[in-house]
Amino acid sequence: MSPSRRDAVDAAALEDAAPRADEEAATASPQPELRYLGPVARYLGSGASVVERQLPFAILMTLALLALLSPGLEATSGSAVVLAAAVTVACLVLAAFVPWERLPEWAPEALALLQFVAVAALRQGSGGMTSPFAGMVLLPALALAARAGMVGVMLGTLGAAATVLLGLALGPNLHPSQPVVVRSLFVAAIALIIGLVVQESTARLRQRNKVLARLQAEQADALRRTREAAASLGKSVSLRRAAHQQLVSVIDSATEQAIIATDADGMVEVFNAGAERLLGFAQGEVVGRRYLTEFHLLDELLERDPQDGAPPAASDHPTLLRSVLAPRAAAGKDVRDWTYVRRDGSHVTVHPAVTRRTDHDGAVVGYVVVATDVTADREAARLKDQFVGLVSHELRTPLTAVLGYVELLLDETEELTEDQREYLQIIDRNARRQLRLVSDLLLTAQMDAGTFSISPQPVDLATIAAASLATAAPAAAAAGITLESDLAPTPAHADPLRLGQAVDNLVANALKFTDRGGTVRLVVRPQADGGGRLAVSDTGIGIPPDELTHLTERFYRASTATRRAVPGVGLGLAITRAVVEAHGGHVGVTSAVGEGTTFTVTLPPAPSAAGA
């Protein structure tokens, strides 16, 4: 499944989760004990309003009063019945109009005590001890026990006992029978037991209600966070989908570079139009069917395998992939270039850039390869190097002969005229200049062929720098430029001939780009960890910042040099860099247009084994 498809599925699942949770919460049936205790909590518990708490008693009292109007059941005391009705109505009025929220929490329980008065009056008015409504005394006791805890249980029990005893005291028989007394007292005992049971039940119900309320709050918070996460994920999916589409369009529009994306094992997942043009395969033939290493020459992969030991099998593509990811240098070859095999079997030289793709945890999930066809460039460079080498060899021989015969003519005992000697010196000077150029060309050919080498020995960098200054002194004097030096003894292990050539190039360049009256300064200093540092500074015309990185390229000339028609072919700095790097050193440059340039050469105590 593609990443965009997975994102869409995840977003849809999260968006559906919140409504489903709401539906499950709404349709879930309560536990059996909550189903039966719910009404108790509604009209007797702390969740009910004060008026709602009075409704059960008021309804029961209304039914009792209506029953007294039926045939066969007559009131024994009309005033007592009226008192019971009046107290009941008073309880409803007080419950509705008294601002209970401003009073203490226990204040509404006073209405339950008034209910005992109403029950006592109803019993007295409907037959006293023989009243059919004697059981109503349990209702206020139940209400007190449900709301006021153990205090309510005791008040309910005492209220029930007081109601019964008051009925006995006001009855016509001052000496009631023992069964009547026992029955009356049992009413108080029953009120106590019922109160204890109700108090325990309602306490548990209140506790469960608290837990349920907490769980509902947590559920609501979880649903809110789920919705927020779903919305955020949906937005991220949309942004990723848009970015993916944009990336795909950019990749598809690239036709000059082959862009190939793979999974962690090297299986191709993306194959753009540039890859189709370069390799001759259609996208449908490659994606999900071929590995990246199938486009490489097997011998080249095995040659650059970074692991020692037995080479991997030709079918072991995930193992072969390590050669592409971590190639090691092969003698005489540029490890940055690879040979791809086209569909028709022909070969093409490419310069690939490999980038790892990682997930949010940093694990590698694949690779992206951007390959550029450099076949024509490499062939042109090869032909150019071949031409340079051939021409250099062909020119060196006649130039050497010319210089030899010029020296013979100048050394002849026969007197030469001044004009003849001047002509011969011009021939000698230009021939030597041409010979230096040919030598430089030969050196660059050796660099490209990998045959350039140095012969290090103990030397003093200050001595080499002093020799270069002595060589440049006549040219500096003729150009009106001051040569300055600050040379400290700096022992090193280097090739004096090659290093002298590099310093000569730097000093000659400084003189070429410095106007009359300027200064060229050469400084040599030892380094704390061994080796040395050499700097050539001038007060010349400077070099633009965007050209500094190209100065050591072969045949490159700065724009300031071409504008001022400064002679040269652009090989001096390339040779200097090659010499310094062969010693394991580094060439640095800083410059400001109109202010001057400083070249810095840093050398280690001894060149590396590879350079030597």
Side-chain angles (χ1 to χ4, degrees):
M1 184 181 293
S2 65
S4 59
R5 175 65 176 165
R6 285 198 300 268
D7 292 340
V9 172
D10 293 342
L14 277 178
E15 290 171 358
D16 292 342
R20 282 203 306 270
D22 289 339
E23 293 173 3
E24 291 172 0
T27 58
S29 60
Q31 298 179 1
E33 59 269 24
L34 296 181
R35 186 186 306 124
Y36 297 120
L37 293 177
V40 176
R42 180 73 180 89
Y43 293 104
L44 297 179
S46 59
S49 66
V50 178
V51 174
E52 289 174 337
R53 297 177 194 174
Q54 303 305 311
L55 291 180
F57 181 81
I59 293 173
L60 193 59
M61 180 62 73
T62 301
L63 294 176
L65 294 176
L66 292 176
L68 290 176
L69 299 178
S70 62
L73 189 62
E74 297 180 356
T76 58
S77 173
S79 59
V81 172
V82 172
L83 176 61
V87 172
T88 301
V89 173
C91 286
L92 286 173
V93 173
L94 291 173
F97 295 102
V98 171
W100 300 104
E101 66 278 0
R102 300 179 185 176
L103 300 178
E105 185 178 356
W106 52 264
E109 310 309 329
L111 298 178
L113 299 179
L114 288 178
Q115 291 177 2
F116 281 117
V117 175
V119 172
L122 178 63
R123 289 185 59 186
Q124 190 65 26
S126 59
M129 297 301 298
T130 61
S131 172
F133 308 115
M136 287 184 61
V137 74
L138 297 177
L139 193 58
L142 178 65
L144 286 171
R147 294 193 299 268
M150 290 303 299
V151 175
V153 172
M154 299 309 298
L155 288 176
T157 302
L158 294 176
T163 300
V164 173
L165 293 177
L166 180 62
L168 292 177
L170 297 178
N173 188 358
L174 297 177
H175 300 285
S177 62
Q178 184 176 3
V180 172
V181 174
V182 172
R183 185 179 66 182
S184 301
L185 293 178
F186 254 86
V187 171
I190 292 172
L192 174 61
I193 294 174
I194 293 177
L196 290 173
V197 173
V198 170
Q199 193 276 332
E200 178 69 17
S201 299
T202 54
R204 292 184 179 181
L205 179 61
R206 282 192 292 269
Q207 185 64 27
R208 293 195 179 190
N209 285 341
K210 290 180 181 179
V211 174
L212 180 61
R214 178 174 58 81
L215 292 177
Q216 288 176 338
E218 292 177 356
Q219 182 188 37
D221 183 64
L223 289 176
R224 177 186 58 78
R225 287 187 281 109
T226 300
R227 292 191 183 97
E228 291 176 354
S232 177
L233 180 58
K235 184 182 296 184
S236 298
V237 168
S238 299
L239 292 176
R240 290 185 59 181
R241 185 180 296 115
H244 175 74
Q245 294 298 331
Q246 183 179 9
L247 179 60
V248 169
S249 64
V250 171
I251 291 176
D252 288 340
S253 63
T255 58
E256 295 301 320
Q257 283 78 30
I259 302 177
I260 305 173
T262 73
D263 62 13
D265 293 328
M267 177 64 73
V268 176
E269 295 180 339
V270 175
F271 198 78
N272 79 327
E276 292 180 328
R277 182 185 61 82
L278 177 67
L279 297 172
F281 290 94
Q283 187 181 66
E285 298 177 280
V286 175
V287 174
R289 298 184 179 183
R290 288 181 176 269
Y291 289 89
L292 174 66
T293 50
E294 293 184 57
F295 304 122
H296 285 258
L297 276 178
L298 179 60
D299 292 342
E300 200 170 57
L301 290 172
L302 296 177
E303 180 185 3
R304 301 187 186 184
D305 186 3
Q307 301 294 329
D308 296 327
S315 59
D316 190 1
H317 298 288
T319 304
L320 290 171
L321 184 64
R322 68 191 182 192
S323 298
V324 181
L325 302 177
R328 62 183 180 184
K333 293 187 179 180
D334 187 351
V335 297
R336 295 173 298 177
D337 290 345
W338 288 89
T339 302
Y340 277 3
V341 181
R342 290 192 176 103
R343 183 175 183 175
D344 59 6
S346 60
H347 295 173
V348 56
T349 303
V350 298
H351 181 80
V354 183
T355 304
R356 287 176 170 82
R357 294 189 296 121
T358 58
D359 59 12
H360 62 281
D361 294 327
V364 177
V365 297
Y367 306 92
V368 177
V369 179
V370 180
T372 304
D373 184 359
V374 295
T375 305
D377 295 340
R378 298 298 181 259
E379 180 63 17
R382 186 188 66 81
L383 292 175
K384 182 178 71 174
D385 293 338
Q386 184 178 3
F387 174 77
V388 169
L390 178 62
V391 171
S392 299
H393 280 289
E394 294 299 325
L395 289 177
R396 189 180 183 89
T397 301
L399 283 174
T400 303
V402 168
L403 288 173
Y405 282 108
V406 168
E407 289 181 1
L408 286 175
L409 289 174
L410 290 174
D411 292 339
E412 283 291 335
T413 56
E414 183 180 345
E415 285 294 331
L416 297 174
T417 65
E418 289 299 325
D419 290 340
Q420 291 173 335
R421 187 172 296 277
E422 181 181 357
Y423 297 153
L424 288 174
Q425 288 175 348
I426 293 174
I427 294 173
D428 180 78
R429 184 167 59 253
N430 284 279
R432 292 185 184 279
R433 179 180 177 187
Q434 290 298 108
L435 185 60
R436 283 196 300 270
L437 177 59
V438 170
S439 298
D440 289 346
L441 289 173
L442 281 174
L443 182 58
T444 60
Q446 293 174 356
M447 291 160 45
D448 292 335
T451 58
F452 174 72
S453 62
I454 59 174
S455 301
Q457 62 187 52
V459 297
D460 186 351
L461 296 184
T463 302
I464 295 175
S468 294
L469 288 175
T471 301
I481 299 173
T482 302
L483 284 179
E484 296 181 353
S485 62
D486 184 2
L487 310 179
T490 305
H493 202 67
D495 186 330
L497 179 63
R498 294 298 190 192
L499 195 57
Q501 184 180 11
V503 178
D504 288 343
N505 287 338
L506 294 178
V507 174
N509 267 5
L511 292 174
K512 278 195 258 185
F513 293 99
T514 302
D515 293 330
R516 179 174 293 275
T519 302
V520 173
R521 180 178 177 82
L522 179 57
V523 178
V524 175
R525 286 286 185 274
Q527 297 193 112
D529 57 349
R533 182 176 180 275
L534 182 147
V536 178
S537 305
D538 63 60
T539 58
I541 59 178
I543 304 167
D546 58 336
E547 299 180 10
L548 293 178
T549 57
H550 301 288
L551 292 178
T552 56
E553 297 177 3
R554 286 191 305 164
F555 304 108
Y556 181 83
R557 306 200 67 212
S559 59
T560 50
T562 55
R563 285 197 301 267
R564 295 168 62 98
V566 177
V569 293
L571 289 177
L573 292 179
I575 293 173
T576 298
R577 186 192 67 177
V579 170
V580 173
E581 290 181 352
H583 285 80
H586 172 72
V587 178
V589 57
T590 58
S591 183
V593 176
E595 297 181 11
T597 303
T598 298
F599 281 91
T600 304
V601 174
T602 304
L603 295 175
S608 62

